[in-house]
């Protein structure tokens, strides 16, 4: 089994500001080792793992990055961003 730290580093190395394809493909690659993974409309990846119980559990995560441009650093360490 892959260490969660390795997975997080692999995902964070994919540039996905404005385009999540690389990170989504990376996540799908990891998930596909354990379940069937399907790409849905709007770049949503869905993995299905059947179990033997009478209930369903959903795990959800958001894969986008939020990007800012730092335009100034004040003397006391505050950032001005766009």
């Amino acid at each position: 089994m892959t260490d969660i730290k390795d997975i997080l580093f692999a995902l964070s190395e994919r540039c996905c500001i404005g385009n999540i394809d690389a990170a989504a493909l990376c996540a799908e690659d990891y998930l596909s080792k354990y379940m069937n993974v399907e790409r849905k409309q709007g770049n949503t990846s869905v993995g299905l793992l059947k179990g033997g119980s009478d209930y369903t559990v959903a795990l959800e995560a958001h894969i986008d990055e939020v990007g800012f441009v730092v335009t100034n650093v004040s003397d006391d360490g505050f950032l001005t961003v766009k």
Side-chain angles (χ1 to χ4, degrees):
M1 180 177 252
T2 305
D3 187 316
I4 188 68
K5 183 178 173 183
D6 295 333
I7 295 171
L8 291 175
F9 273 102
L11 286 169
S12 65
E13 289 172 349
R14 305 309 190 273
C15 179
C16 64
I17 296 176
N19 183 1
I20 66 164
D21 284 339
L25 288 171
C26 180
E28 290 168 7
D29 184 49
Y30 280 108
L31 288 173
S32 67
K33 297 174 186 172
Y34 307 101
M35 64 191 70
N36 293 326
V37 180
E38 206 177 302
R39 180 73 66 101
K40 299 286 187 176
Q41 181 180 357
N43 282 328
T44 300
S45 301
V46 176
L48 179 63
L49 179 64
K50 296 236 182 216
S53 63
D54 293 335
Y55 57 89
T56 301
V57 176
L59 302 175
E60 184 178 332
H62 196 71
I63 205 162
D64 289 349
E65 289 180 323
V66 177
F68 293 101
V69 175
V70 176
T71 58
N72 184 54
V73 180
S74 69
D75 292 335
D76 52 356
F78 286 94
L79 303 177
T80 302
V81 297
K82 283 187 184 183

